[in-house]
Amino acid sequence: EFIARLDDVIRKDGIPNNVHLIVKLDFKNVEAVQPSLDIINAHSLHAQRNVEVWLNADILLGPGHAQKSRNPTVPPHEFISLCTSALPTCTLSLGWTHGEGTPLGYTPHMAQEIVAVTNTLKQHVTLAASAMHLYATPTSTRNELLRHFSQQDETTRGRRTLTLWGPAPFLVRRWFRRLPRDTTYVDVAAASWKAEFAAWYIALWRLLGYHDVRLLY
């Protein structure tokens, strides 16, 4: 129903030339993917002028003890295959699951997995990462993720970006403002005092030369 109404509005009122509309669908279960793609195709939403369709899912296990005993509800290869077959020009917004009460930051294994899954994709891929977790990621691992998704080379130019979401303390906001603007999307919120303290704690340890410290949060 949402897609149908949006399509009606676009067709009736049009989109101004200076407006670029991104329609993002967030999938929590793989069973919902194909029916949603069929609806998008039926309305030719992705073919509308100045309209971009983003398909988002948490396809890999991320930080969180509670998450480690089960697989993501959206398997990576199935999700990517469905999306690229039905909508070859879509943007894939891919990330990790996140649990509560976790060590902050993404591990080298998590980074290697997401790079491996996306490395051969020809579509525009945006890495959907928690701003706080990415800030807290060990420096060498974080730099690898930024190199792949934000600091592009000739092989990835125009096809890889970074999307930061979630609570972002002051230090985290100051950090991501230094990232390339043309490859960084930001959708963050105010942070709790606990997150603010955690960011300062991490920054202090890094100032002392400990760049791989992980903080229980």
Side-chain angles (χ1 to χ4, degrees):
E1 185 179 354
F2 165 74
I3 295 296
R5 290 185 178 182
L6 179 61
D7 184 50
D8 287 342
V9 170
I10 292 173
R11 291 180 183 278
K12 179 180 178 181
D13 300 330
I15 300 176
N17 290 329
N18 62 341
V19 173
H20 184 78
L21 179 64
I22 295 177
V23 179
K24 181 178 177 182
L25 278 67
D26 187 11
F27 295 99
K28 302 300 185 185
N29 196 296
V30 71
E31 281 75 21
V33 176
Q34 189 61 59
S36 300
L37 298 176
D38 291 341
I39 294 172
I40 292 174
N41 270 323
H43 290 275
S44 300
L45 185 63
H46 57 293
Q48 298 290 336
R49 180 177 58 85
N50 294 355
V51 177
E52 190 175 347
V53 176
W54 286 28
L55 306 174
N56 178 78
D58 300 332
I59 60 170
L60 295 172
L61 293 180
H65 302 295
Q67 299 286 343
K68 292 182 179 178
S69 60
R70 61 186 179 86
N71 294 323
T73 56
V74 183
H77 297 293
E78 184 177 359
F79 177 73
I80 291 171
S81 177
L82 288 171
C83 294
T84 55
S85 296
L87 294 174
T89 61
C90 72
T91 290
L92 295 173
S93 173
L94 307 174
W96 302 272
T97 61
H98 294 76
E100 299 292 335
T102 68
L104 286 174
Y106 301 112
T107 65
H109 175 70
M110 295 172 193
Q112 291 163 7
E113 277 195 311
I114 197 72
V115 169
V117 167
T118 61
N119 202 34
T120 60
L121 295 176
K122 303 301 183 184
Q123 287 79 9
H124 172 207
V125 177
T126 188
L127 173 65
S130 157
M132 186 64 188
H133 276 285
L134 190 58
Y135 175 79
T137 296
T139 303
S140 57
T141 301
R142 184 178 69 185
N143 287 343
E144 176 62 20
L145 288 170
L146 292 178
R147 186 195 67 77
H148 189 75
F149 290 99
S150 181
Q151 300 158 354
Q152 303 178 4
D153 57 26
E154 291 302 323
T155 63
T156 60
R157 192 172 307 281
R159 297 191 294 109
R160 297 292 182 267
T161 57
L162 175 67
T163 298
L164 299 174
W165 57 267
F170 168 76
L171 288 181
V172 177
R173 292 171 184 263
R174 190 173 71 174
W175 162 70
F176 68 59
R177 286 182 184 132
R178 299 197 298 267
L179 297 177
R181 292 190 176 186
D182 58 339
T183 58
T184 306
Y185 295 89
V186 176
D187 181 18
V188 298
S192 66
W193 68 266
K194 186 178 179 182
E196 294 284 356
F197 175 80
W200 281 103
Y201 184 85
I202 292 168
L204 175 60
W205 278 104
R206 287 177 176 165
L207 187 63
L208 296 173
Y210 297 94
H211 293 277
D212 291 338
V213 64
R214 293 193 73 204
L215 177 66
L216 290 176
Y217 180 65

